Amino acid sequence: MAQMTMIQAITDALRCELRDDENVLIFGEDVGKNGGVFRATEGLQDEFGEDRVFDTPLAESGIGGLAIGLATQGFRPVPEIQFFGFVYEVMDSISGQMARMRYRSGNSENAPITIRSPFGGGVHTPEMHADSLEGLMAQQPGLKVVIPSNPYDAKGLLISSIRDNDPVIYLEHMKLYRSFRDEVPEDSYEVELGKAKITREGTDVTLIAYGAMVQASVKAAEELEKDGISAEVVDLRTIAPFDVETVVESVKKTGRAVVVQEAQRVAGIASQIVAEIQERAILHLEAPVLRVTAPDTVYAFTQAEEVWLPNHKDIVAKVNDVINY
Amino acid sequence: MKRTNEKFAEQFPTFQILNEEGKIVNEEKMPDLSEDELKELMTRMVYTRILDQRSIALNRQGRLGFYAPTAGQEASQLGSQFALEQDDFLLPAYRDVPQLIWQGLPLYKAFLWSRGHYVGSQMPEEVNALTPQIIIGAQYVQTAGVALGIKKRNEKRVAITYTGDGGTSQGDFYEGMNFAGAFNAPAIFIAQNNRFAISTPVEKQTAAKTLAQKAVAAGIEGIQVDGMDVLAVYVATKEARDRAVNGEGPTLIETLTYRYGPHTMAGDDPTRYRTEDLDSEWEQKDPLVRFRKYLEEKGIWSEDQENEIIEKAKADIKEAIKQADDTPKQKVTDLISNMYETLPANLQEQMEEYKAKESK
């Protein structure tokens, strides 16, 4: 075991997979010699060579096409999109092409591609860097969307994503890259895709969260405990398709739920979660399921992030609304 | 000083071997094809012309679905395909079904693709190809990836793709060529310039005087070919293939061609945007007419031979349509099971739902 930040855990997962499967290829803008703009691929080109870890021209759509083409030749591409706000340039390759590859070929081709991309607010990035666009991906049949919230899950989920024989969008929250360390095994291990984790057990209300909002939810739960409210925190880990069973079981136990996301209210996946809960557990609900989200504006100008991004105080307030309904 | 645009255009003269009268005008570039191979080329062009005529008729009877006519483009499509090897990887666009067929896709599967059945997209083991691409340009960026994959495996093969004149305006068109160039990957990019993207003439796509010169932006080889001359298309593709497998990188080939029919059978009416003069000008360039003259002059082609092929094509088409008719109907459970290797929980649940529905 070693103490690792999330970004170190990600690099470690990539190193494990490059070592264990010669078909794994890592490529993108500045991921080679430079080791990535966040150092996520630091040292990998030196260790595995330019044939395995390489830079590309600056064109996201081309990178997506490259991944698809390489997949047809038996490779296991792990491309990077420098910031997920740039996904619009490559929407066709992702949603229009690789997500449909197996289906459109009648199961005769597949696309074992893992797209890594940073996103998320709170680190004062310029325009189109921090936007939460996981909701767009979650609506595309054929994709899986994974968002880790801590170093241990980050490594295991990335290894599982790379080994998956269908395309996975693996989103890395920038604020979580170096914010804390965790015990991470040095060997390879997998964290199953599509399975949520109960981060904190509770009995009065279920907080369903992912990404940076998991930490915020845990912080909120700690404050609520002081007021005698026991909150259970469910970390989705895979947001599409998400673990309906774990969510519904928790809600049946607590009778109350708040869904927490960093994305705007019209975006993200909170609405989908609310819909599943009301279809499957309405008779267990003591109160409506409420959502904590960002407001429905374009992502905040840098200096407005603090007032705009949802935080633990918003979660505490919303839980009180649900408790006092 | 000449303006840049004109200067470039001069570097991309039209490459031709066979003129409209069926005479060799470029002896030096004559391909080394046997009499049997020459006859095979003509056979394929005649067969494909009949396939087009029958497909249009079958579409009108409602026995085919989506269909993009190919008449006029036989030299461009089949001359280039004839230069390929069986293990080359083909990324066709929606009009490029003939290349897939001659690369080995069974005719009934091509018909199933037209109708909208997943079996039509299941390539036989020996056919290295993706199903026709509907998103114009996507096949270009994917080709760069296929070619890079081939290069990484150290194989002597190429990736080949096709788009139209309108497609050269897409971002993916540029990105695909530029990536293949930057990686020096074995790719052949063909732009079949039939002068119209639905109703929009090529002059409205770009001020560039040729499409071949767009290769300059990627720093790769470019050539403009008479796309009604099957020998010229064959030679240009063969040379591009030789360069690619020898590690000399990708080529863009512009074929000057024409579609005699509408854009697709989905209600397009070419009389709204094309003149009869233009149609008849290009009918005189018919790739079948000139190649027939050439072969007859050599004494290796006759009307009887041609009629035999026509009859064979008609019989094959009839049989293939029957085989398509006999293919089991698609069920929702089939579609669900083709989505992922392992079904996620939501689809497992929906699978059960539809299984119950289908067993009623």
Side-chain angles (χ1 to χ4, degrees), chain B residues 214-230:
Chain B
K214 294 193 175 205
V216 174
I220 67 173
E221 290 296 317
I223 180 170
Q224 187 187 64
V225 184
D226 180 347
M228 307 302 257
D229 170 2
V230 73

Side-chain angles (χ1 to χ4, degrees), chain B residues 158-215:
Chain B
V158 298
I160 183 167
T161 191
Y162 296 81
T163 191
D165 41 299
T168 65
S169 300
Q170 290 278 3
D172 277 357
F173 170 82
Y174 291 99
E175 289 185 30
M177 291 194 304
N178 188 57
F179 269 56
F183 289 114
N184 196 40
I188 303 173
F189 297 99
I190 298 191
Q192 301 187 85
N193 178 1
N194 64 23
R195 306 198 52 79
F196 287 90
I198 306 188
S199 65
T200 306
V202 65
E203 292 77 16
K204 292 196 174 165
Q205 296 293 342
T206 177
K209 294 201 185 303
T210 69
L211 299 180
Q213 76 198 62
K214 294 193 175 205

Side-chain angles (χ1 to χ4, degrees), chain A residues 33-154:
Chain A
K33 202 173 183 60
N34 190 43
V37 291
F38 291 104
R39 306 287 169 257
T41 51
E42 176 109 303
L44 296 181
Q45 190 183 67
D46 279 346
E47 193 176 340
F48 297 97
E50 271 187 68
D51 204 38
R52 306 284 307 281
V53 182
F54 52 95
D55 294 323
T56 66
L58 204 167
E60 285 75 18
S61 188
I63 292 171
L66 204 66
I68 294 166
L70 286 164
T72 68
Q73 301 308 302
F75 288 99
R76 195 169 283 278
V78 187
E80 178 183 298
I81 300 299
Q82 200 161 67
F83 293 95
F84 206 57
F86 311 163
V87 71
Y88 295 113
E89 297 280 0
V90 62
M91 277 296 278
D92 178 58
S93 278
I94 297 175
S95 297
Q97 307 290 331
M98 65 182 77
R100 305 164 61 102
M101 195 87 164
R102 187 184 287 279
Y103 176 91
R104 76 187 293 264
S105 66
N107 210 354
S108 65
E109 291 275 348
N110 66 321
I113 298 169
T114 302
I115 296 184
R116 289 183 41 250
S117 189
F119 79 109
V123 290
H124 306 304
T125 50
E127 198 174 10
M128 295 291 285
H129 283 57
D131 295 59
S132 289
L133 302 173
E134 69 279 7
L136 296 175
M137 299 291 111
Q139 289 203 12
Q140 175 58 51
L143 295 179
K144 292 174 185 167
V145 186
V146 172
I147 304 183
S149 71
N150 59 75
Y152 178 88
D153 284 348

